[in-house]
Amino acid sequence: MLILAIESSCDETAAAVTDGRRVLSNIVATQIAEHRIYGGVVPEIASRRHTEAINQVCDSAISEANIKYEDLDAVAVTFAPGLIGALLVGVNFAKGLAMSLGIPLIPVHHLRSHIAANYIENNELEPPFLCLTVSGGNSILTRVTDYTKFEPIGGTRDDAAGECFDKTARALGLPYPGGVTLDKIATVADLKKYPLPFPKISGNEFDFSFSGLKTAVINLIHNLGQKGEEIDVPVLAATVRQRVCDMLIENTLRATEKYNYKKLVVAGGVSANSELRSRLSEECSKRNIKLYYPELKYCGDNAVMVGVQAYYEYKDGNIGDTSLNAVSTLPIDYR
Ligand code: KG4
């Protein structure tokens, strides 16, 4: 089933042609360089750049796949969650295209597609499994009971893990997107040098909280600056990374134990984090849990993952119509 998938939820305009889990093309036009000068994504600029790029990006995906628009069986699009103006560009383009070609339109939830990024290279992977999805806007733990059935068991009460990385990095003067840079420069030396809190919360044992840590880092940076003390940026970066990973890993492993999972999947932009990957690999091999994460090129936003998830949504009868709208926030288990 040939699907043209479109993704425009944040700062990447992406299109891909997929056939089930097979990738025929993968085009990503990133806006990172433009947002970098502002230290973060400027929503209006993102929408305008999507509008300019979307036609060309889709044409490139079609020609790279060596097909014609008329060969397509469906058009899929990320419709939620994300920046509303950015999502609307993709949704409207996909609606018009599906209508003009007379083929189905498949709406795809952004976090579901991040999870599906794991199906691309891991042919044997199928639900059920536990999934930790960590990105710039979301951090959730989900029981994936089937390709289109999701049971969230915990999530962040405040900031996402990626946001904590990005804001910390910005306060340290590192370029956007900060999480990537922070991970690259982090040097594990004296992790006791900076007294950052180990985030702890009461209530749901699978929830996360990162805003306290974020505030503590920002205050520490300001205090050191006021005293004229030089900051050891690589060590502070490593300390923040360790605290974030501690919380993500502890809760995730607790959930694998409670629900007796032997398959764990990590998804979303932060799944590229080197410490998260190495520590989880070690812990999972000790516990005889098979760990999956996406190839690095599929960790961030792309349209291949949208096409792969769309295939399963289509099989489950999840088809959109001309009234499809973009939605800025929507739980992963929406019906
Ligand atoms: O999934 P994604 O591309 O976009 C959203 O859907 O949010 O995730 C982007 C987030 C950003 O916060 C970015 O800093 C973070 O993923 N990220 C990382 C790494 N690579 C990307 N965070 C920590 N370590 C990394 N290596």
Side-chain angles (χ1 to χ4, degrees), residues 69-323:
Y69 277 102
E70 291 70 34
D71 298 326
L72 291 171
D73 297 303
V75 178
V77 65
T78 308
F79 77 107
L83 299 173
I84 197 72
L87 287 167
L88 280 167
V89 177
V91 166
N92 274 319
F93 190 89
K95 270 208 272 195
L97 188 58
M99 209 198 291
S100 67
L101 293 170
I103 55 177
L105 171 71
I106 311 171
V108 178
H109 188 286
H110 187 54
L111 296 186
R112 292 187 183 192
S113 64
H114 267 305
I115 295 173
N118 283 278
Y119 300 138
I120 304 166
E121 302 285 327
N122 299 310
N123 270 329
E124 78 287 6
L125 177 63
E126 51 185 45
F129 52 77
L130 180 74
C131 184
L132 171 68
T133 311
V134 266
S135 68
N138 297 275
S139 299
I140 54 167
L141 255 179
T142 312
R143 301 182 70 189
V144 182
T145 55
D146 206 339
Y147 290 105
T148 56
K149 306 266 176 310
F150 303 84
E151 260 178 57
I153 55 168
T156 184
R157 303 247 183 105
D158 37 60
D159 295 341
E163 187 179 345
C164 181
F165 281 135
D166 291 343
K167 295 276 161 63
T168 302
R170 187 154 78 177
L172 284 169
L174 302 174
Y176 168 84
V180 189
T181 322
L182 188 138
D183 189 24
K184 268 196 204 131
I185 62 148
T187 308
V188 182
D190 179 7
L191 289 179
K192 294 202 175 92
K193 181 166 182 173
Y194 295 114
L196 292 177
F198 288 88
K200 285 269 176 282
I201 43 171
S202 53
N204 180 1
E205 58 183 331
F206 304 124
D207 275 352
F208 307 104
S209 167
F210 298 105
S211 69
L213 174 64
K214 180 188 75 180
T215 308
V217 187
I218 292 171
N219 286 344
L220 180 76
I221 294 167
H222 287 158
N223 286 342
L224 293 174
Q226 276 161 1
K227 285 189 219 152
E229 280 182 38
E230 202 178 315
I231 300 169
D232 190 339
V233 177
V235 169
L236 184 53
T239 315
V240 177
R241 186 178 66 178
Q242 184 214 42
R243 301 295 198 271
V244 171
C245 288
D246 277 356
M247 176 160 258
L248 292 174
I249 293 169
E250 271 172 32
N251 289 9
T252 303
L253 293 177
R254 200 178 302 121
T256 59
E257 268 162 39
K258 175 161 179 180
Y259 296 104
N260 201 19
Y261 277 109
K262 288 293 169 200
K263 257 190 265 178
L264 173 64
V265 168
V266 189
V270 180
S271 69
N273 187 265
S274 59
E275 179 170 337
L276 185 64
R277 285 184 174 222
S278 64
R279 282 177 59 190
L280 268 181
S281 298
E282 203 179 305
E283 294 298 335
C284 285
S285 72
K286 274 193 229 158
R287 293 167 168 78
N288 210 14
I289 295 171
K290 179 91 176 92
L291 175 68
Y292 295 89
Y293 34 71
E295 219 188 296
L296 279 178
K297 69 175 171 194
Y298 296 127
C299 286
D301 291 344
N302 67 86
V304 173
M305 64 187 194
V306 180
V308 173
Q309 181 61 24
Y311 170 70
Y312 295 107
E313 298 289 347
Y314 179 80
K315 291 217 297 193
D316 195 28
N318 186 358
I319 316 284
D321 59 30
T322 47
S323 67

